[in-house]
Amino acid sequence: MRLNSRFLLAVVAIAFLPVFGQDREVSPKAVERIQKEVRHELVMLPYLDVFDNLAYKVDGYNVALFGQVTDPTVKSDAEKAVKKIEGVEKVDNQIEVLPVSPMDDGLRRRLFRAIYGYAPMQKYALPTIKPIRIIVKNGHVTLEGVVDSESDKNIAGLRANGVSGAFSVTNNLAVVK
């Protein structure tokens, strides 16, 4: 009888182990650390360029990846890089790989020249990681990223709207001061 009660106690304890692991509290410091590391890993991706846009959301020890990329390698590299971060338990990779299109590629190049080649906007061309991301999908353009002022946001939108071949332009640039 005594052996059976110990066996039952051990089985009950083992049965509750996964529940305790799932309900554990996540400290704000841990979330902040994971957020910083995710950002770092994403900006360090070797094939990430101005025509890709990556975003993420950290929910406890889980990370969701969003955005659009022109190269499927960037999507898989982003997931691999985030999975190796200490503390990350699950990665939900929702990054969209944009369709291959010579027309979109040409439009991307023209948009890049129109925005980054314009004298008042050349300051944004200096950093290695460009703050204005140019996303093109089937001729539709979305500008993502950050600029210094509302006027720079408007200039980028106007420059993009002036490029031939763009069916529409959505200006999602955020102004940071």
Side-chain angles (χ1 to χ4, degrees):
M1 187 76 162
R2 187 173 201 150
L3 182 61
N4 289 341
S5 64
R6 283 186 187 167
F7 177 76
L8 182 60
L9 182 61
V11 169
V12 170
I14 291 171
F16 283 107
L17 281 177
V19 173
F20 291 132
Q22 292 171 353
D23 291 341
R24 65 190 164 136
E25 287 288 320
V26 180
S27 75
K29 221 174 185 180
V31 171
E32 184 180 333
R33 179 190 58 78
I34 290 172
Q35 287 173 334
K36 285 180 182 178
E37 288 188 40
V38 168
R39 183 187 183 288
H40 175 77
E41 290 296 332
L42 293 179
V43 299
M44 295 304 292
L45 292 172
Y47 300 110
L48 183 69
D49 68 19
V50 70
F51 306 118
D52 299 322
N53 180 49
L54 294 179
Y56 61 91
K57 180 182 175 197
V58 176
D59 182 19
Y61 297 111
N62 300 322
V63 178
L65 299 174
F66 308 97
Q68 307 80 22
V69 295
T70 55
D71 182 349
T73 305
V74 176
K75 176 180 178 167
S76 60
D77 287 353
E79 183 174 351
K80 287 176 197 170
V82 172
K83 276 184 177 177
K84 74 176 186 168
I85 295 171
E86 183 180 341
V88 172
E89 294 176 353
K90 181 182 174 207
V91 177
D92 179 16
N93 191 346
Q94 298 180 34
I95 298 170
E96 174 187 11
V97 177
L98 297 168
V100 176
S101 166
M103 300 296 275
D104 283 355
D105 289 342
L107 181 55
R108 287 182 186 104
R109 287 189 296 275
R110 292 191 303 278
L111 286 159
F112 183 88
R113 285 192 299 270
I115 295 169
Y116 286 105
Y118 186 60
M121 302 297 283
Q122 286 179 347
K123 63 184 175 184
Y124 297 109
L126 296 175
T128 303
I129 299 170
K130 308 289 185 262
I132 300 172
R133 316 305 281 178
I134 302 167
I135 309 306
V136 179
K137 181 178 179 183
N138 301 324
H140 298 277
V141 178
T142 304
L143 301 178
E144 298 283 354
V146 295
V147 290
D148 296 333
S149 66
E150 193 68 34
S151 64
D152 285 349
K153 175 182 178 174
N154 293 335
I155 289 170
L158 288 169
R159 300 293 296 170
N161 272 305
V163 173
S164 67
F167 298 132
S168 66
V169 175
T170 301
N171 189 345
N172 292 336
L173 293 172
V175 177
V176 292
K177 297 180 181 188

